[in-house]
Amino acid sequence: MLLEKHFYLMMRDNFMVRPFVPQLIYVEPKAMEYSLGKSLVTKFENMGIEIRETTSHNQIRNLPGDNDFQKYRNAKSTLVIGVRKTLKFDTSKPSAEYAIPFATGCMGHCHYCYLQTTMGSKPYIRTYVNIDEIFDAAEGYMQERAPLDTRFEASCTSDIVGVDHLTHTLKHAIEYFGKSEHGKLRFVTKFAHVDHLLDADHKGRTRFRFSINNNHIIKYFEPGTSRLNERIEAAVKVAEAGYPLGFIIAPIYLHDGWKEGYKEMFEKLDEALPPFARKDLTFEMIQHRFTKPAKRVIEKNYPMTKLELDESKRKTKWGRYGIYKYVYQDQEQQDIKNTLGGWINDYFPASTIEYFT
Ligand code: SF4
């Protein structure tokens, strides 16, 4: 319990999150057949990080740690260099047509992260080195829809920016879609480590989005991610580099003083964003939701969380995975839409609100 408390406080109060460095690397042998696989192994050898072989990520069973709590945290510091076998892309409504898979998992510790339920007992981070095959598959999807544009979302299974300073996969993807006729890329991040992406030749075909929230929520529920001011500073750099910019406010979470918290967030954004960043600016709004299985996992992985997960205070909504989600009551949803939507319109009148869900 002591270790748990120490970890919690350390992560909560860690105001400058450094770029991710894995503590342990696993390599699938097939990854060494790709130039990116070889160069990543050389890079991590030079960084002095322990590298182990594994026939497949499914065979990884001996992660360090005396108990589930430690193992979970060590897994989130472990990077697997592998090959993406499934090249059939999932759909990604409402933000894009398809999810493009460059990585899975994340080093962050957001208490409400959807990956906790989707990745189950395998929360390590995987990066895929067969990126040309992934691009070829994307090309097939684009041809099916041409001459319409096809949008690909690169952050459905990971926070890809959080690991990209090491792999540069996303940077390649940005340049690939920069050259494409009918493809567009988008992704979202809670990390501010964007410098290597600023000189990518994006040709305006990538929308760079930051997931933001008010300071109270980031402080208590998003340990291990960049703070609000860091994300805003990074967003300004991204806008200066000419990328179309977007913000996802997610999850919108109602706590004592939520209106003041979100007002302050918009004020900070308004102070920082230069005029040219506001012309092609999008907002997406996602309210907090949870499922019963997610609640069980959250309480196991983050036993000290203050996250409010009381089903009786919420209304149910049927989810596409065949399970009920608990969302805010209709009146609360309306209050969120009016309050946050109103500030978006006041502060950023030229922006577009893409959806509220
Ligand atoms: Fe999950 Fe995003 Fe937080 Fe990573 S940054 S833990 S992907 S919510």
Side-chain angles (χ1 to χ4, degrees), residues 76 106 108-110 113-115 158-159 190-191 225:
K76 275 184 158 273
C106 180
H109 279 276
C110 305
C113 180
Y114 59 105
L115 295 175
S158 70
D159 189 315
K190 292 189 202 292
F191 291 93
T225 65

Side-chain angles (χ1 to χ4, degrees), residues 40-59:
L40 286 178
V41 167
T42 306
K43 174 183 216 153
F44 292 125
E45 276 170 355
N46 291 338
M47 289 168 76
I49 301 171
E50 182 185 345
I51 300 178
R52 299 179 184 173
E53 263 213 13
T54 178
T55 46
S56 155
H57 77 96
N58 285 316
Q59 300 305 315

Side-chain angles (χ1 to χ4, degrees), residues 72 76 105-116 155-160 188-191 211 221-226 231 250-251 302:
Y72 177 75
K76 275 184 158 273
C106 180
M107 65 297 299
H109 279 276
C110 305
H111 296 185
Y112 31 56
C113 180
Y114 59 105
L115 295 175
Q116 291 191 69
S155 42
C156 285
T157 52
S158 70
D159 189 315
I160 180 90
V188 61
T189 185
K190 292 189 202 292
F191 291 93
S211 169
F221 305 122
E222 299 189 352
T225 65
S226 299
R231 295 183 211 175
Y302 302 101

Side-chain angles (χ1 to χ4, degrees), residues 312-339:
S312 69
K313 294 188 176 156
R314 304 288 183 104
K315 72 172 262 189
T316 52
K317 184 175 173 189
W318 187 243
R320 73 168 169 153
Y321 297 108
I323 188 164
Y324 278 112
K325 296 185 273 198
Y326 294 92
V327 295
Y328 286 115
Q329 302 287 349
D330 290 338
Q331 210 177 342
E332 293 170 319
Q333 294 192 31
Q334 204 52 51
D335 198 8
I336 292 171
K337 271 196 270 188
N338 293 345
T339 308

